Amino acid sequence: MILSSQRSIPSLQGPAIMNENGLKAHVACQDFSFFYYDNQAVKNVSLDFPSYQVTAIIGPSGCGKSTLLRSINRMNDLIPGSRTSGELLFDGQDIYSPRLDVVTLRRRIGMVFQKPNPFPKSIFNNVAYGRRLHDTRNHEELRSIVETSLHRAGLWEEVKDRLGDNALSLSGGQQQRLCIARALAVDPEILLMDEPTSALDPRATARIEDLIAELRGRYTIIIVTHNMQQAARVSDFTAFLYEGQLIEYGQTAQIFTKPREKQTEDYMTGRFG
Amino acid sequence: MNLGSRKLFDRSLTGISIMAVILMALSLLVLLGPIFSRGLGAFFFRATCEHRRLVLEQFGRGDEKEIAAEIQAVALARRPLYRMLEEFEVEMRGMEFARRQGFRAELKEVTGLLRELLGPLPGEPEGVMLRQQYGQTRWDRARIKLEQILYSEQWDYSDKSSMGKKVLIPRQQSFAGTRLEPLFPYLKNNLGKMLRPRLVFYWRFLTDISMDAHFFGGIWPEILGTVYLTLGAMIFAIPFGIIAAIYLSEFAAAGRLVSMLRVCISTLAGVPSIVFGLFGLAFFINTLHLSRSKSVLAGSATLALLILPTIIRSAEESLKAVPHTYKEAALSLGASQLRMVLTVLLPAALPGILTGIIISMGRAAGETAPIIFTAAVSVGQPLKIWETLSQPTPALPWNIYNLATEHQAVDEIRHVQYGMVLTLVLLVLLLNLAAIMIRARISKKMRG
Amino acid sequence: MSDAVSRLRRLTALILKGFLLLGTALSLVTVLLIIAYITRDALPFFKLRGPGELFTSTAWYPSGHPPEFGALAILVGSGLVTLGSILVAVPLGIAAAIALSDILPYRLRQTVKPVIEILAAIPSVAYGFFALVIFAPLLQNRGGSLLAIALWLIALPLGLLLIFVVTDAATRSIRADVALTARLILAAVLAVILVRGLLALSAKLTTLRIASGTNALNVSIILGIMALPTIISVAEDSLQAAGRELREGSYALGATRAETLFKVIIPASGSGIIAAIILGVMRAVGETMVVWMASGNAAQIPSPWFNFLTPVRTLTATIAGDMGEADQVLGSGRYHVLFALALCLLLTSFAANLASEWILRRQQRKLGGLK
């Protein structure tokens, strides 16, 4: 079944609604592998990302966590020579099935990048960009969507009087929150975050982490981070990847206090990575 | 827009942009195709006995005995033709005045064309100009002349609504019943025996001088002129270009003077080439009196100014591309900046600089406007090196223009024009190819 | 190291730097000299005849008795072929730049780049030769049919695209279930109008008789092709400079490639594209050989002004052509008016150059905030 572009849009105030299959905002991979040319970056990972919870993917650099994340919204399609095997399921449907519409997929799955990348447009137009593409042209609707998204991203108070200013005039932390607002404005179900605070100072980092706590419960959040303490602070579940393979996965509290695998423990205690 | 529309728009953009690339590639094909195919015709063609005779008598090449025998055989084949002419003249003398007058004009045309086709008629004095001493040297042109002899052109203006139509009337008809009538079929059937066409690879087209305003011979003076001009331009431009590049990349502090210098360089790059030509005339010739009138020296100086910005830009880029580590290593070992530049920086950047130089050579070789007033003449002998300081020279770009527009017999020497264009284009393309290969080797070395 | 030695070292370094600076200053000196000499030899003309006649009269008879120097028709000729070459080169060039930066895969891109380099390397006299010897007879003998084919190739896809966009906009406010049928009906009607219009136009074109193959159209097309490499490389650099992150941000929000290009990338690199166009235009304006050989060299303003099928004359061709005779009589109006024309060319090229430099620098600053 092709993902319909006519999904019922939840009201911006209320919680998300279940779709036809009864699964809500749910991502899972089964025996999923990712290759570029002959290089296998993700090796047979089977993983479940619980709905409306925060799952962190940790591991040393080069272990494939970003690649796995970017496979979920098919951003890796932009890389030449990319192939996959296994299944990556969003609400029960394999997103690598040929009949799937990538444009709609990316609307339902939002992404925040490592380095804030606001468009060289006004703050308002940045946030409104995605929504304008997909459905709304009505200025009143856009205004209220932009306002709500900026509220949700915790940026409204700081920019409410200067929505027409160029987005590049904001500080790094503000730009990142702007990018989060931009992603939220299209009303996704999943939010992917690829090391969202690694380019930010500690204060901005703390703000983003608070934000993640607020967004939890409304969106399924999957966050890749090389900072273990951050994973411990913000996530409910943690997956540890090493050299493309899933080593261990479970509740964050358990992983950080009583890891089952030796490799996990070695990574935690800093013996490598 | 709904999703379907958005996707269709996306596909249209893909289609349009790919079409643009295809169109561009096609235009290159359309441009170079005819130039290559017809240009090769200046080198590979079916040459007649006239050509071989010419090469022997004017250039001193060829087997004397063989050619003498050929001339005899050809004369044999032509004799019936000339006999028919003589008999017709006799016949004409016996005609009444009106009829005779009727034939006179057309006979004159036919004999004129026969002279162009086969050379001077037996017993006639040779003309002054070289082209009057030989028949057609190329079989393709001979066939065109044949058509002109066999058919006369007339214009039919009877249809008022459209332009006049060209009608071809076989001359045999006009001379029906006379002694001249059998000339035409005889000519048609025996032209091969009268001219003996043979395929030849006239590579000496590149080294022979031209004779009688390019009617015969090759393009050596033009090639030599282009070589002189290009080398001269490089001699002037390379030192200044590299000096400027070194200064800008290594010694210049960011400031008003330097940014003004950069603006000057890019301004110079934008000046139209004809303005360079005028400047060369006004400055190098009329003010500095580098030479009394046009000369290779003045032309080279003008060309050098034209390509200077290109050399500076590419040299600077190559210098900047040298990794910092090389420079720092040399400096930390105690080398002065000059020594570092000469012994480390320049050698490392040399392939890149060379690439820029070679591409600029291509540009200098192909430019016409700067040399029109400063160095180029339409006809001339190949210069000796010391003559370049004061004498003008033919050059490929200028002579291509000249032969294609201002020449007396533009259509007769089409093959020479195409040959020149092909030579120039090949020269420039080969230079660029060399530059590309050097560049490819550099990037391979950099990637290790 | 002793004082004396180090002082000597510093002195040599200073001398060296001075020497290099002098060498670099050659370009400054050259620019100043060019301005000086062109102006010096142009001023006598203005002193002799004043500026009015040159720019307002179309009577160009420099060797007449009395001589007349009205260059208006020549200026219009230059403007016309520049406009024509922009119309050819800009759409093609930008579309090709988009293809190179965002659409073609790496290997195809590497095959296309040499094509562009070859187009850029071909000498202008070879283009001129082609325009005169191959293209002009083609236009003269088969011009009408060629134009008709070009019309279909360009207008049909664009027209269909336009119909698509128009029907989409028109039916947006209608109810969803009726909208599709309404859209199809409207599209069919418009398509019929389009096709019939094209058929009529192309029929008229095929019967068109082009009097002379050396005209403004010929030159515009060839100049357009010559300007393509410049436009494509500068525009492509500009598009690439926008960066991967902006593109990823847009794709991640569910935008198509076309939307990403038109709504994010091109606005971000817009000034670079304008600079590319200016540079391409400069190439066309300053080109001599092609226009000298193939524009027809008739100093007249076409009637109507946009009739590209008439011969025209440009500034560059006038300078090149008339100088041969004028050089004999130094000090005459004929000699100096050519320098006056050259001054016009020079000032235009300066203005265009400065404009494009300023624009490029502004773009670097605009995107610099992101880097």
Side-chain angles (χ1 to χ4, degrees), chain B residues 276-277 279-281 284 297-307 370-371 374:
Chain B
F276 274 112
F279 173 71
L281 175 68
F284 291 123
L297 183 64
S300 299
T302 315
L303 279 174
L305 291 180
L306 184 81
I307 58 175
I371 59 174
T374 54

Side-chain angles (χ1 to χ4, degrees), chain B residues 45-102:
Chain B
F45 58 95
R46 300 178 73 108
T48 64
C49 59
E50 299 293 313
H51 183 256
R52 292 186 281 279
R53 183 163 69 96
L54 177 116
V55 168
L56 180 67
E57 293 175 4
Q58 303 297 329
F59 293 109
R61 295 195 303 265
D63 188 329
E64 277 193 47
K65 286 214 195 79
E66 220 180 291
I67 292 181
E70 194 176 50
I71 296 179
Q72 293 244 18
V74 157
L76 215 66
R78 294 182 188 180
R79 212 181 304 154
L81 196 87
Y82 295 131
R83 206 179 339 117
M84 285 181 224
L85 269 175
E86 284 170 17
E87 291 176 2
F88 181 66
E89 299 237 315
V90 171
E91 192 184 345
M92 262 205 345
R93 270 182 243 131
M95 285 178 202
E96 48 187 43
F97 181 73
R99 198 165 175 232
R100 202 188 319 152
Q101 285 303 101

Side-chain angles (χ1 to χ4, degrees), chain B residues 160-216:
Chain B
K160 292 287 166 70
S161 62
S162 65
M163 288 202 313
K165 274 194 282 253
K166 198 162 39 164
V167 175
L168 297 175
I169 301 179
R171 286 193 211 266
Q172 197 175 350
Q173 278 178 18
S174 332
F175 287 94
T178 66
R179 283 303 186 83
L180 206 61
E181 190 188 350
L183 179 132
F184 299 98
Y186 181 76
L187 188 64
K188 186 169 171 188
N189 297 329
N190 292 289
L191 191 62
K193 293 205 198 95
M194 293 192 233
L195 284 179
R196 298 214 168 182
R198 229 176 34 213
L199 198 62
V200 72
F201 176 29
Y202 183 40
W203 62 270
R204 285 203 190 267
F205 183 68
L206 292 175
T207 55
D208 282 341
I209 59 170
S210 75
M211 310 206 114
D212 194 10
H214 284 287
F215 253 85
F216 309 115

Side-chain angles (χ1 to χ4, degrees), chain C residues 178-200:
Chain C
V178 192
L180 189 60
T181 20
R183 218 168 148 205
L184 284 175
I185 297 177
L186 185 59
V189 168
L190 287 178
V192 166
I193 297 179
L194 176 72
V195 171
R196 290 191 65 177
L198 283 186
L199 278 172

